Amino acid sequence: SLNDIESLINELTVKEQLAREHRDNDNANLTNIRKKIARQFEKKLMTYLRPLGLMNVRFEVQFNACPASETGVDSVQFLFSANPGESLAPLSDVASGGEMSRFLLALKTVLADVDGSSTLLFDEIDAGVSGRVSGAIASVLKELAINRQVFCITHQPLLASVADHHFRISKSIDNGITRSEVRCLSSIQDRQKELAELAGGDFAEARVYAASLLEQKAA
């Protein structure tokens, strides 16, 4: 009957209102938790970014409201500035390749305890940085590798020396076909020779430098 339909509509309207209020309360609590964690995340991330050669870096997690969904009502964006005088802007728009690689390294290190990734690959993450910064990158990679499998492609002997395993990748042309070869450097002599070549050539000073790097790693 019409009365039954009106009663049902009223009942459903009340249920909908209660459900919306419940959803809005949960979303508000979720937003507050996210903002609290975001401030902690910003501080911890900065402690890794600055030693990685980004001394003037600024970073902020920005929250904007969006239509409610199963993930809440927050649109989250990473804002980034690497140089003084530059305004904060979306990370994906302003970070260079090297800056993005170092940001990813810092991010993965900060999230190491909760991130489900078991294998990470960094391709020339130390490109265009100084030896001091390379040393900082090496330290962070070594820390990250405690709980992760980390592959790092590099031309920096300082960075390569801290690895537990070394592989040499080379290319050759055979009958007009380019082939790539990966060879495991299992002996100390092979590792020292390769590090010396990365340092500038297989001459006396380079060999001494390579040996010192491996000694530091062993220590």
Side-chain angles (χ1 to χ4, degrees), residues 118-161:
S118 59
T119 301
L120 302 172
L121 174 62
F122 296 98
D123 186 3
E124 297 190 15
I125 194 173
D126 54 346
V129 301
S130 66
R132 178 182 60 81
V133 176
S134 291
I137 292 175
S139 296
V140 175
L141 284 170
K142 189 175 181 179
E143 177 182 344
L144 191 59
I146 294 174
N147 298 310
R148 297 289 185 277
Q149 182 183 44
V150 178
F151 289 92
C152 186
I153 301 170
T154 181
H155 292 93
Q156 282 273 11
L158 185 60
L159 193 60
S161 64

